Coordinates of all heavy atoms in Angstrom, one line a residue:
M1 N 171.4 156.7 38.8 CA 172.7 156.4 39.0 C 173.2 155.3 38.0 O 172.5 154.4 37.8 CB 172.9 155.9 40.5 CG 174.4 155.6 40.8 SD 174.6 155.0 42.5 CE 174.4 153.2 42.2
A2 N 174.4 155.5 37.5 CA 174.9 154.5 36.5 C 176.0 153.7 37.2 O 176.7 154.2 38.1 CB 175.4 155.2 35.3
L3 N 176.1 152.5 36.7 CA 177.3 151.7 37.2 C 178.1 151.4 35.9 O 177.8 150.5 35.1 CB 176.8 150.4 37.8 CG 177.9 149.4 38.1 CD1 178.9 150.0 39.1 CD2 177.4 148.1 38.7
R4 N 179.1 152.3 35.7 CA 179.9 152.2 34.5 C 181.1 151.4 34.8 O 181.9 151.6 35.8 CB 180.3 153.6 34.0 CG 181.1 153.6 32.7 CD 181.1 155.0 32.1 NE 179.8 155.4 31.7 CZ 179.4 156.6 31.3 NH1 180.3 157.6 31.3 NH2 178.2 156.9 31.0
V5 N 181.4 150.4 33.9 CA 182.5 149.5 34.2 C 183.4 149.4 32.9 O 182.8 149.4 31.8 CB 182.1 148.1 34.6 CG1 181.4 148.1 35.9 CG2 181.2 147.4 33.5
Y6 N 184.7 149.2 33.1 CA 185.6 149.0 32.0 C 185.4 147.5 31.5 O 185.3 146.6 32.3 CB 187.0 149.2 32.4 CG 188.0 148.7 31.4 CD1 188.3 149.4 30.2 CD2 188.7 147.5 31.5 CE1 189.2 149.0 29.3 CE2 189.5 147.0 30.6 CZ 189.8 147.8 29.5 OH 190.7 147.3 28.5
V7 N 185.3 147.4 30.1 CA 185.1 146.0 29.6 C 186.3 145.5 28.8 O 186.7 144.4 28.9 CB 183.8 146.0 28.8 CG1 183.6 144.6 28.1 CG2 182.6 146.3 29.6
C8 N 186.7 146.4 27.8 CA 187.8 145.9 27.0 C 188.3 147.1 26.2 O 187.8 148.3 26.3 CB 187.3 144.9 26.0 SG 186.0 145.5 24.9
R9 N 189.3 146.9 25.3 CA 189.8 147.9 24.4 C 189.1 147.8 23.0 O 188.6 146.7 22.7 CB 191.3 147.7 24.2 CG 192.1 147.9 25.5 CD 193.5 148.1 25.3 NE 194.2 148.4 26.6 CZ 194.2 149.6 27.2 NH1 193.7 150.6 26.6 NH2 194.8 149.7 28.4
V10 N 189.0 148.9 22.3 CA 188.4 148.9 21.0 C 189.0 147.8 20.1 O 188.3 147.1 19.4 CB 188.5 150.3 20.4 CG1 188.0 150.2 18.9 CG2 187.7 151.3 21.2
G11 N 190.3 147.7 20.2 CA 191.0 146.7 19.3 C 190.7 145.3 19.7 O 191.0 144.3 18.9
D12 N 190.1 145.0 20.9 CA 189.7 143.7 21.3 C 188.5 143.2 20.6 O 188.1 142.0 20.6 CB 189.5 143.6 22.8 CG 190.8 143.9 23.6 OD1 191.9 143.6 23.0 OD2 190.7 144.4 24.7
V13 N 187.7 144.1 20.0 CA 186.4 143.8 19.5 C 186.5 143.4 18.0 O 187.1 144.1 17.2 CB 185.4 145.0 19.6 CG1 184.1 144.7 19.0 CG2 185.3 145.4 21.1
D14 N 185.9 142.3 17.7 CA 185.9 141.8 16.3 C 184.6 142.1 15.7 O 183.5 142.0 16.3 CB 186.1 140.3 16.3 CG 187.5 139.9 16.9 OD1 188.5 140.6 16.6 OD2 187.6 138.9 17.5
D15 N 184.7 142.5 14.4 CA 183.5 142.7 13.6 C 182.6 141.4 13.5 O 183.2 140.3 13.2 CB 183.8 143.2 12.2 CG 184.3 144.6 12.2 OD1 184.3 145.3 13.2 OD2 184.9 145.0 11.1
E16 N 181.3 141.6 13.7 CA 180.4 140.4 13.5 C 180.8 139.2 14.2 O 180.7 138.1 13.7 CB 180.2 140.2 12.0 CG 179.9 141.4 11.1 CD 178.6 142.0 11.4 OE1 177.7 141.3 12.0 OE2 178.4 143.2 11.1
A17 N 181.4 139.3 15.4 CA 181.8 138.2 16.2 C 181.3 138.4 17.7 O 181.2 139.5 18.2 CB 183.3 138.0 16.2
L18 N 180.9 137.3 18.3 CA 180.4 137.3 19.7 C 181.5 137.0 20.7 O 181.8 135.8 20.9 CB 179.2 136.4 19.8 CG 178.0 136.6 18.9 CD1 177.0 135.5 19.0 CD2 177.4 138.0 19.2
R19 N 182.2 138.0 21.2 CA 183.3 137.8 22.1 C 182.9 138.2 23.5 O 182.5 139.4 23.7 CB 184.5 138.5 21.6 CG 185.7 138.3 22.5 CD 187.0 138.8 21.9 NE 188.1 138.6 22.8 CZ 189.3 139.1 22.7 NH1 189.5 139.8 21.7 NH2 190.2 138.9 23.6
P20 N 183.0 137.3 24.5 CA 182.6 137.6 25.8 C 183.8 138.2 26.6 O 185.0 137.8 26.4 CB 182.2 136.3 26.4 CG 183.1 135.3 25.7 CD 183.3 135.8 24.3
F21 N 183.5 139.2 27.4 CA 184.6 139.8 28.3 C 184.1 139.7 29.7 O 183.0 140.2 30.1 CB 184.8 141.3 27.9 CG 185.3 141.4 26.5 CD1 184.4 141.6 25.4 CD2 186.6 141.4 26.2 CE1 184.8 141.8 24.1 CE2 187.1 141.5 24.9 CZ 186.2 141.7 23.9
R22 N 185.0 139.2 30.6 CA 184.7 139.1 32.0 C 184.8 140.5 32.6 O 185.7 141.2 32.3 CB 185.6 138.1 32.7 CG 185.5 136.7 32.2 CD 184.9 135.8 33.3 NE 184.6 134.5 32.8 CZ 183.3 134.0 32.9 NH1 182.4 134.7 33.6 NH2 183.1 132.8 32.5
V23 N 183.8 140.8 33.5 CA 183.8 142.0 34.3 C 183.8 141.6 35.7 O 182.9 140.8 36.1 CB 182.6 142.9 33.9 CG1 182.5 144.1 34.8 CG2 182.7 143.3 32.4
A24 N 184.7 142.1 36.5 CA 184.7 141.8 38.0 C 183.4 142.1 38.6 O 182.8 143.1 38.4 CB 185.9 142.6 38.6
G25 N 182.9 141.1 39.4 CA 181.7 141.3 40.1 C 180.4 141.0 39.4 O 179.3 141.1 39.9
V26 N 180.5 140.7 38.1 CA 179.4 140.4 37.2 C 179.4 138.9 36.9 O 180.4 138.4 36.4 CB 179.4 141.3 36.0 CG1 178.2 140.9 35.1 CG2 179.4 142.7 36.3
T27 N 178.3 138.2 37.1 CA 178.2 136.8 36.9 C 178.5 136.4 35.5 O 179.3 135.5 35.2 CB 176.8 136.3 37.4 OG1 176.6 136.7 38.7 CG2 176.7 134.7 37.2
W28 N 177.8 137.0 34.6 CA 177.9 136.6 33.1 C 178.8 137.6 32.4 O 178.6 138.8 32.7 CB 176.5 136.6 32.5 CG 175.7 135.4 32.9 CD1 174.9 135.4 34.0 CD2 175.6 134.1 32.3 NE1 174.3 134.1 34.1 CE2 174.8 133.3 33.1 CE3 176.3 133.5 31.2 CZ2 174.5 132.0 32.8 CZ3 176.0 132.2 30.9 CH2 175.1 131.5 31.7
P29 N 179.6 137.2 31.6 CA 180.5 138.1 30.8 C 179.6 139.1 29.9 O 178.4 138.8 29.7 CB 181.3 137.2 29.9 CG 181.3 135.9 30.5 CD 180.0 135.8 31.2
V30 N 180.2 140.1 29.6 CA 179.5 141.1 28.6 C 180.0 140.8 27.2 O 181.2 140.6 27.0 CB 179.9 142.6 29.0 CG1 179.3 143.5 28.0 CG2 179.3 142.9 30.4
I31 N 179.1 140.7 26.3 CA 179.5 140.6 24.9 C 179.6 142.0 24.3 O 178.7 142.8 24.4 CB 178.4 139.8 24.1 CG1 178.4 138.3 24.6 CG2 178.7 139.8 22.6 CD1 177.2 137.5 24.1
V32 N 180.7 142.2 23.6 CA 180.9 143.4 22.8 C 181.2 143.0 21.4 O 182.1 142.2 21.2 CB 182.0 144.3 23.4 CG1 182.0 145.6 22.6 CG2 181.7 144.6 24.9
T33 N 180.5 143.6 20.5 CA 180.7 143.3 19.1 C 180.6 144.6 18.3 O 180.1 145.6 18.8 CB 179.8 142.2 18.5 OG1 180.2 141.8 17.2 CG2 178.3 142.7 18.5
R34 N 180.9 144.5 17.0 CA 180.7 145.6 16.1 C 179.9 145.0 14.9 O 180.4 144.1 14.2 CB 182.0 146.2 15.6 CG 181.9 147.5 14.8 CD 183.2 148.0 14.3 NE 184.2 148.3 15.4 CZ 185.2 147.6 15.8 NH1 185.4 146.5 15.1 NH2 186.0 147.9 16.7
T35 N 178.7 145.5 14.7 CA 177.9 145.0 13.6 C 177.3 146.2 12.9 O 176.9 147.2 13.5 CB 176.7 144.1 14.2 OG1 176.0 143.6 13.1 CG2 175.8 144.8 15.2
G36 N 177.4 146.2 11.6 CA 176.9 147.3 10.8 C 177.7 148.6 11.1 O 177.2 149.7 11.0
G37 N 179.0 148.4 11.6 CA 179.8 149.5 11.9 C 179.6 150.1 13.3 O 180.3 151.1 13.7
Q38 N 178.6 149.6 14.0 CA 178.3 150.1 15.3 C 178.8 149.1 16.4 O 178.6 147.9 16.3 CB 176.7 150.2 15.5 CG 176.1 151.2 14.5 CD 176.0 152.6 15.1 OE1 177.0 153.0 15.8 NE2 175.0 153.3 14.9
L39 N 179.3 149.7 17.5 CA 179.6 148.9 18.7 C 178.4 148.6 19.4 O 177.5 149.5 19.6 CB 180.6 149.7 19.6 CG 182.0 149.8 19.1 CD1 182.8 150.8 20.0 CD2 182.7 148.4 19.2
V40 N 178.2 147.4 19.9 CA 177.1 147.0 20.7 C 177.6 146.2 21.8 O 178.5 145.3 21.7 CB 176.1 146.1 19.8 CG1 174.9 145.7 20.6 CG2 175.7 146.9 18.6
A41 N 177.0 146.4 23.0 CA 177.3 145.6 24.2 C 176.0 145.1 24.8 O 175.1 145.8 25.0 CB 178.0 146.5 25.2
V42 N 176.0 143.8 25.1 CA 174.8 143.1 25.6 C 175.3 142.1 26.7 O 176.4 141.7 26.7 CB 174.0 142.4 24.5 CG1 173.5 143.4 23.5 CG2 174.9 141.3 23.9
P43 N 174.3 141.7 27.5 CA 174.6 140.6 28.5 C 175.0 139.4 27.8 O 174.5 139.1 26.7 CB 173.3 140.5 29.3 CG 172.5 141.7 29.0 CD 172.9 142.2 27.7
G44 N 175.8 138.6 28.4 CA 176.2 137.3 27.8 C 175.3 136.2 28.0 O 175.5 135.1 27.6
V45 N 174.2 136.5 28.7 CA 173.2 135.4 29.0 C 171.9 135.7 28.3 O 171.4 136.8 28.2 CB 173.0 135.3 30.5 CG1 172.4 136.5 31.1 CG2 172.1 134.1 30.8
C46 N 171.2 134.6 27.8 CA 170.0 134.8 27.1 C 168.9 135.2 28.1 O 168.8 134.6 29.2 CB 169.6 133.4 26.4 SG 168.0 133.5 25.5
P47 N 168.0 136.1 27.7 CA 166.9 136.4 28.6 C 165.8 135.4 28.7 O 164.9 135.5 29.5 CB 166.3 137.7 28.0 CG 166.7 137.7 26.6 CD 168.0 136.9 26.5
H48 N 165.9 134.3 27.9 CA 164.9 133.3 27.9 C 165.2 132.3 29.0 O 164.4 132.0 29.9 CB 164.8 132.5 26.5 CG 163.8 131.5 26.5 ND1 164.1 130.2 25.9 CD2 162.5 131.4 26.9 CE1 163.0 129.5 26.0 NE2 162.0 130.2 26.6
E49 N 166.4 131.7 29.0 CA 166.9 130.8 30.0 C 168.4 131.1 30.1 O 169.0 131.8 29.3 CB 166.7 129.4 29.7 CG 165.2 129.0 29.7 CD 164.9 127.5 29.4 OE1 165.9 126.8 29.2 OE2 163.8 127.2 29.2
D50 N 169.0 130.6 31.2 CA 170.5 130.8 31.4 C 171.4 130.1 30.5 O 171.9 129.1 30.8 CB 170.8 130.5 32.9 CG 170.3 131.5 33.8 OD1 169.8 132.6 33.4 OD2 170.4 131.3 35.1
V51 N 171.5 130.6 29.2 CA 172.3 130.0 28.2 C 173.3 131.1 27.7 O 172.9 132.2 27.5 CB 171.5 129.5 27.0 CG1 172.4 129.1 25.9 CG2 170.6 128.3 27.5
A52 N 174.6 130.7 27.6 CA 175.6 131.6 27.1 C 175.4 132.0 25.6 O 175.4 131.2 24.8 CB 177.0 131.0 27.2
L53 N 175.2 133.3 25.4 CA 174.9 133.8 24.1 C 176.1 133.8 23.2 O 176.0 133.8 21.9 CB 174.3 135.2 24.1 CG 172.8 135.2 24.6 CD1 172.3 136.7 24.7 CD2 171.9 134.5 23.6
W54 N 177.3 133.9 23.7 CA 178.5 133.9 22.9 C 178.7 132.6 22.1 O 179.5 132.6 21.2 CB 179.7 134.4 23.7 CG 180.1 133.4 24.8 CD1 181.0 132.4 24.6 CD2 179.8 133.5 26.1 NE1 181.1 131.7 25.9 CE2 180.4 132.4 26.8 CE3 179.0 134.4 26.9 CZ2 180.2 132.2 28.2 CZ3 178.8 134.2 28.2 CH2 179.4 133.1 28.8
D55 N 178.0 131.6 22.5 CA 178.1 130.3 21.8 C 177.1 130.3 20.6 O 177.1 129.3 19.9 CB 177.9 129.1 22.7 CG 179.0 128.9 23.7 OD1 180.1 129.3 23.4 OD2 178.7 128.4 24.8
G56 N 176.4 131.3 20.5 CA 175.4 131.4 19.4 C 176.0 132.0 18.1 O 177.2 132.0 18.0
E57 N 175.2 132.4 17.2 CA 175.6 132.9 15.9 C 175.2 134.4 15.8 O 174.2 134.8 16.4 CB 175.0 132.1 14.8 CG 175.3 130.6 14.8 CD 176.7 130.3 14.5 OE1 177.4 131.1 13.7 OE2 177.3 129.3 15.0
L58 N 175.9 135.2 15.0 CA 175.5 136.5 14.7 C 175.1 136.5 13.3 O 176.0 136.3 12.4 CB 176.6 137.5 15.1 CG 176.4 139.0 14.9 CD1 175.1 139.4 15.6 CD2 177.6 139.7 15.4
E59 N 173.9 136.8 13.0 CA 173.4 136.7 11.6 C 172.5 137.9 11.3 O 171.5 138.1 12.0 CB 172.5 135.5 11.3 CG 173.3 134.2 11.4 CD 172.4 132.9 11.1 OE1 171.3 133.1 10.7 OE2 172.9 131.8 11.3
G60 N 172.8 138.7 10.3 CA 172.0 139.8 10.0 C 171.7 140.8 11.1 O 170.6 141.3 11.2
G61 N 172.7 141.0 11.9 CA 172.5 142.0 13.0 C 171.8 141.4 14.2 O 171.3 142.2 15.0
A62 N 171.6 140.1 14.2 CA 170.9 139.5 15.4 C 171.7 138.3 15.9 O 172.4 137.7 15.2 CB 169.5 139.0 14.9
I63 N 171.6 138.2 17.3 CA 172.2 137.0 17.9 C 171.2 135.9 17.9 O 170.0 136.1 18.3 CB 172.5 137.3 19.4 CG1 173.7 138.3 19.5 CG2 172.9 136.0 20.1 CD1 174.1 138.6 20.9
I64 N 171.6 134.7 17.4 CA 170.8 133.5 17.4 C 171.3 132.7 18.6 O 172.4 132.2 18.7 CB 170.9 132.7 16.1 CG1 170.9 133.6 14.9 CG2 169.9 131.6 16.1 CD1 169.6 134.4 14.8
C65 N 170.4 132.6 19.6 CA 170.7 131.9 20.8 C 170.9 130.4 20.5 O 170.1 129.8 19.9 CB 169.6 132.1 21.9 SG 169.9 131.2 23.4
P66 N 172.0 129.8 21.1 CA 172.2 128.3 20.9 C 171.2 127.5 21.7 O 171.1 126.3 21.4 CB 173.6 128.1 21.4 CG 173.8 129.2 22.4 CD 173.0 130.4 21.9
G67 N 170.4 128.1 22.6 CA 169.5 127.3 23.4 C 168.3 126.8 22.6 O 168.1 125.6 22.4
H68 N 167.5 127.7 22.2 CA 166.3 127.4 21.4 C 166.2 128.1 20.1 O 165.2 128.0 19.4 CB 165.1 127.7 22.3 CG 165.1 127.0 23.6 ND1 165.5 127.6 24.7 CD2 164.7 125.7 23.9 CE1 165.4 126.8 25.7 NE2 165.0 125.6 25.3
G69 N 167.3 128.8 19.7 CA 167.3 129.4 18.4 C 166.6 130.7 18.2 O 166.4 131.2 17.1
Y70 N 166.2 131.3 19.3 CA 165.5 132.6 19.3 C 166.5 133.6 18.8 O 167.7 133.6 19.1 CB 165.0 133.1 20.6 CG 163.8 132.3 21.2 CD1 163.4 131.2 20.6 CD2 163.2 132.7 22.3 CE1 162.3 130.5 21.1 CE2 162.1 132.1 22.9 CZ 161.7 130.9 22.2 OH 160.6 130.2 22.8
A71 N 166.0 134.6 18.0 CA 166.9 135.6 17.4 C 166.6 137.0 18.2 O 165.4 137.3 18.3 CB 166.6 135.8 15.9
F72 N 167.7 137.6 18.6 CA 167.6 138.9 19.3 C 168.3 140.0 18.4 O 169.5 139.9 18.2 CB 168.2 138.8 20.6 CG 167.5 137.9 21.6 CD1 167.9 136.5 21.6 CD2 166.5 138.3 22.4 CE1 167.3 135.6 22.5 CE2 165.9 137.4 23.2 CZ 166.2 136.1 23.3
D73 N 167.5 140.9 18.0 CA 168.0 142.0 17.1 C 168.9 142.9 18.0 O 168.5 143.5 19.0 CB 166.8 142.8 16.6 CG 167.2 143.9 15.6 OD1 168.2 144.6 15.8 OD2 166.5 144.0 14.6
L74 N 170.1 143.1 17.5 CA 171.1 143.9 18.3 C 170.8 145.4 18.2 O 171.3 146.2 19.0 CB 172.5 143.6 17.9 CG 173.0 142.2 18.3 CD1 174.4 142.0 17.8 CD2 173.0 142.2 19.9
G75 N 170.0 145.8 17.2 CA 169.7 147.2 17.0 C 168.6 147.6 18.0 O 168.6 148.8 18.4
T76 N 167.7 146.7 18.4 CA 166.6 147.1 19.2 C 166.6 146.2 20.5 O 165.9 146.6 21.5 CB 165.3 146.8 18.5 OG1 165.1 145.4 18.2 CG2 165.2 147.6 17.2
G77 N 167.2 145.1 20.5 CA 167.1 144.2 21.6 C 165.9 143.2 21.6 O 165.8 142.3 22.4
R78 N 165.0 143.5 20.6 CA 163.8 142.7 20.5 C 164.0 141.3 20.1 O 164.9 141.0 19.3 CB 162.8 143.4 19.6 CG 162.2 144.7 20.1 CD 161.0 145.1 19.3 NE 160.6 146.4 19.7 CZ 160.7 147.5 18.9 NH1 161.1 147.3 17.7 NH2 160.4 148.7 19.3
C79 N 163.2 140.4 20.7 CA 163.3 139.0 20.3 C 162.3 138.8 19.1 O 161.1 139.2 19.2 CB 162.9 138.1 21.4 SG 162.9 136.3 21.0
K80 N 162.8 138.2 18.0 CA 161.9 138.0 16.8 C 161.0 136.8 17.0 O 160.0 136.7 16.3 CB 162.8 137.8 15.6 CG 163.7 139.0 15.3 CD 164.6 138.7 14.1 CE 165.5 139.9 13.8 NZ 166.4 139.7 12.7
H81 N 161.2 136.0 18.1 CA 160.3 134.8 18.3 C 159.4 135.0 19.4 O 158.4 134.2 19.5 CB 161.2 133.6 18.5 CG 162.0 133.2 17.3 ND1 163.3 133.8 17.0 CD2 161.8 132.4 16.2 CE1 163.7 133.3 15.9 NE2 162.9 132.5 15.4
D82 N 159.7 135.9 20.3 CA 158.8 136.1 21.5 C 158.9 137.6 21.9 O 159.9 138.1 22.4 CB 159.4 135.2 22.7 CG 158.5 135.3 23.9 OD1 157.8 136.3 24.1 OD2 158.6 134.4 24.8
A83 N 157.7 138.2 21.6 CA 157.7 139.7 21.9 C 157.8 140.0 23.4 O 158.1 141.2 23.7 CB 156.3 140.2 21.4
G84 N 157.7 139.0 24.2 CA 157.8 139.3 25.7 C 159.3 139.3 26.1 O 159.5 139.6 27.3
L85 N 160.2 139.0 25.3 CA 161.6 138.9 25.6 C 162.4 140.0 25.0 O 162.1 140.4 23.9 CB 162.2 137.6 25.2 CG 161.7 136.3 25.9 CD1 162.4 135.1 25.3 CD2 162.0 136.4 27.4
E86 N 163.3 140.6 25.7 CA 164.2 141.6 25.2 C 165.6 141.4 25.7 O 165.8 141.2 26.9 CB 163.6 143.0 25.6 CG 164.5 144.1 24.9 CD 163.8 145.5 25.2 OE1 162.6 145.6 25.5 OE2 164.5 146.5 25.0
L87 N 166.6 141.6 24.9 CA 168.0 141.6 25.3 C 168.4 143.0 25.5 O 168.3 143.8 24.6 CB 168.8 140.9 24.1 CG 170.3 140.8 24.4 CD1 170.5 139.8 25.6 CD2 171.0 140.3 23.2
R88 N 168.8 143.2 26.8 CA 169.3 144.6 27.1 C 170.5 145.0 26.2 O 171.3 144.2 25.8 CB 169.7 144.6 28.6 CG 168.6 144.5 29.5 CD 169.1 144.8 30.9 NE 169.7 146.1 31.1 CZ 170.6 146.4 32.0 NH1 170.9 145.5 32.9 NH2 171.1 147.6 32.1
R89 N 170.5 146.3 25.9 CA 171.7 146.8 25.2 C 172.3 147.8 26.2 O 171.7 148.8 26.5 CB 171.2 147.5 23.9 CG 170.6 146.4 23.0 CD 170.0 147.1 21.7 NE 171.0 147.6 20.9 CZ 171.1 149.0 20.6 NH1 170.4 149.8 21.2 NH2 172.1 149.4 19.8
Y90 N 173.5 147.6 26.5 CA 174.2 148.5 27.5 C 174.7 149.7 26.8 O 175.3 149.6 25.7 CB 175.4 147.8 28.1 CG 175.1 146.6 29.0 CD1 175.8 145.4 28.8 CD2 174.2 146.6 30.0 CE1 175.6 144.3 29.6 CE2 173.9 145.5 30.8 CZ 174.6 144.4 30.6 OH 174.4 143.2 31.3
P91 N 174.4 150.9 27.3 CA 175.1 152.1 26.8 C 176.6 152.0 26.8 O 177.1 151.5 27.8 CB 174.6 153.2 27.7 CG 173.3 152.7 28.3 CD 173.6 151.2 28.5
I92 N 177.2 152.4 25.8 CA 178.7 152.3 25.6 C 179.3 153.7 25.7 O 178.8 154.6 25.0 CB 179.1 151.6 24.3 CG1 178.6 150.2 24.3 CG2 180.6 151.7 24.1 CD1 178.9 149.4 23.0
T93 N 180.4 153.8 26.4 CA 181.2 155.1 26.3 C 182.6 154.6 25.9 O 183.2 153.7 26.5 CB 181.2 155.8 27.7 OG1 179.9 156.1 28.1 CG2 182.1 157.1 27.6
V94 N 183.1 155.3 24.9 CA 184.5 155.0 24.5 C 185.4 156.1 25.0 O 185.1 157.3 24.7 CB 184.6 154.9 22.9 CG1 186.1 154.7 22.5 CG2 183.7 153.7 22.4
V95 N 186.4 155.8 25.8 CA 187.3 156.7 26.3 C 188.7 156.4 25.8 O 189.3 155.3 26.2 CB 187.3 156.7 27.9 CG1 188.3 157.7 28.4 CG2 185.9 157.0 28.4
G96 N 189.2 157.2 24.8 CA 190.5 156.8 24.2 C 190.2 155.5 23.4 O 189.3 155.4 22.6
D97 N 191.0 154.4 23.8 CA 190.7 153.1 23.2 C 190.1 152.1 24.1 O 190.1 150.9 23.9 CB 192.0 152.5 22.6 CG 193.0 152.1 23.7 OD1 192.8 152.6 24.9 OD2 193.9 151.3 23.4
E98 N 189.5 152.7 25.2 CA 188.8 151.8 26.2 C 187.3 151.9 26.0 O 186.7 152.9 25.8 CB 189.1 152.3 27.6 CG 190.6 152.2 27.9 CD 190.9 152.6 29.3 OE1 190.0 153.3 30.0 OE2 192.0 152.3 29.8
I99 N 186.7 150.7 26.1 CA 185.2 150.6 26.1 C 184.7 150.4 27.5 O 185.0 149.4 28.2 CB 184.8 149.4 25.1 CG1 185.2 149.7 23.7 CG2 183.3 149.2 25.2 CD1 184.9 148.6 22.7
W100 N 183.8 151.3 27.9 CA 183.1 151.2 29.1 C 181.6 151.1 28.9 O 181.1 151.6 27.9 CB 183.3 152.5 29.9 CG 184.8 152.7 30.4 CD1 185.8 153.0 29.5 CD2 185.3 152.6 31.7 NE1 187.0 153.1 30.3 CE2 186.7 152.9 31.6 CE3 184.7 152.4 32.9 CZ2 187.5 152.9 32.7 CZ3 185.5 152.4 34.0 CH2 186.9 152.6 33.9
V101 N 180.9 150.3 29.7 CA 179.5 150.1 29.5 C 178.8 150.4 30.9 O 179.3 150.2 31.9 CB 179.1 148.7 29.1 CG1 179.8 148.4 27.8 CG2 179.4 147.7 30.1
D102 N 177.6 150.9 30.7 CA 176.7 151.2 31.9 C 175.9 150.0 32.1 O 174.9 149.7 31.4 CB 175.8 152.4 31.6 CG 176.6 153.7 31.5 OD1 177.8 153.7 31.9 OD2 176.0 154.7 31.1
L103 N 176.2 149.3 33.2 CA 175.4 148.1 33.5 C 174.1 148.4 34.1 O 173.1 147.7 34.0 CB 176.2 147.2 34.5 CG 177.5 146.6 33.9 CD1 178.2 145.8 35.0 CD2 177.3 145.8 32.7
L104 N 174.0 149.6 34.8 CA 172.7 150.0 35.4 C 172.4 151.4 34.9 O 173.3 152.2 34.5 CB 172.9 150.1 36.9 CG 173.1 148.8 37.6 CD1 173.3 149.0 39.1 CD2 171.9 147.8 37.4
Ligands
LIG201 S1 167.7 129.8 26.1 FE1 168.0 131.3 24.5 S2 166.2 131.0 23.3 FE2 165.9 129.7 24.9

């Protein structure tokens, strides 16, 4: 079963920028960005500790967490500093100009 939620419009997403979008009923905003021409949606919280990832940097297709500087590859979700950590990547569905993500 999927839990698909509306997040934002395609025009709301900036290239190579970490913009958080609030989703009703979800504690942490969802980050949607476009990197390397691809739309990517991820949780707004670091899987290491509860730190907001949108305050980090996007470098070379990876989010650099502002907490401890760990890098999470947006292509794979893998953490470059700790193999035991992974940043989920939400499946995206674009309907017209709307971006929907599957949270589950
Ligand atoms: S809180 Fe993100 S790397 Fe530690």
Side-chain angles (χ1 to χ4, degrees):
M1 185 180 88
L3 175 59
R4 184 166 293 171
V5 297
Y6 169 77
V7 177
C8 61
R9 297 193 177 279
V10 172
D12 296 331
V13 179
D14 297 322
D15 289 348
E16 310 295 338
L18 300 174
R19 184 167 175 192
F21 297 93
R22 293 248 170 236
V23 175
V26 178
T27 304
W28 288 88
V30 173
I31 294 172
V32 183
T33 188
R34 192 181 298 102
T35 182
Q38 297 270 38
L39 285 171
V40 180
V42 297
V45 62
C46 181
H48 182 226
E49 292 180 7
D50 285 352
V51 169
L53 285 175
W54 61 87
D55 289 333
E57 302 289 330
L58 183 52
E59 292 179 11
I63 292 181
I64 312 301
C65 178
H68 303 97
Y70 289 9
F72 296 90
D73 187 316
L74 287 176
T76 64
R78 291 196 189 113
C79 178
K80 297 178 180 178
H81 295 87
D82 183 338
L85 293 176
E86 183 173 344
L87 183 64
R88 288 187 59 201
R89 298 172 69 246
Y90 296 131
I92 294 175
T93 301
V94 177
V95 181
D97 69 341
E98 297 180 345
I99 294 176
W100 294 69
V101 302
D102 293 348
L103 296 179
L104 297 176

